[in-house]
Amino acid sequence: EFVDYALQGNPDLVGFSLLFDEQVEFSLALAQIIKQQRPQTIIVFGGAALDSSFQRVLSQPCVDYAVRDAGEVPFLRLIQS
């Protein structure tokens, strides 16, 4: 159900904004399924939960980019590039 919602409209990019560490496992599982179904989709993670999980999240093959700290400007630059 979440995968269908995330891929609605055939996006080029799917972003995950995580506030709590408890969201990391579910989000990584969802990102993995999205990559399996649509390998060309760019997956970006960001949010406060990455303060403690940055290396772990970025090391996952289903995650293309991760943004630390206040991510509005870096995320904008990422999608513009």
Side-chain angles (χ1 to χ4, degrees), residues 23-52:
Q23 295 172 297
V24 173
E25 288 303 318
F26 176 81
S27 297
L28 285 172
L30 184 56
Q32 184 176 15
I33 295 167
I34 290 170
K35 273 294 190 187
Q36 288 171 349
Q37 289 188 11
R38 295 216 26 219
Q40 72 278 15
T41 302
I42 298 168
I43 303 289
V44 181
F45 273 59
L50 293 189
D51 288 346
S52 60

Side-chain angles (χ1 to χ4, degrees), residues 43-74:
I43 303 289
V44 181
F45 273 59
L50 293 189
D51 288 346
S52 60
S53 303
F54 185 77
Q55 292 300 328
R56 182 168 154 254
V57 165
L58 195 54
S59 71
Q60 300 301 311
C62 60
V63 178
D64 297 300
Y65 301 98
V67 179
R68 283 180 131 162
D69 301 322
E72 293 82 3
V73 173

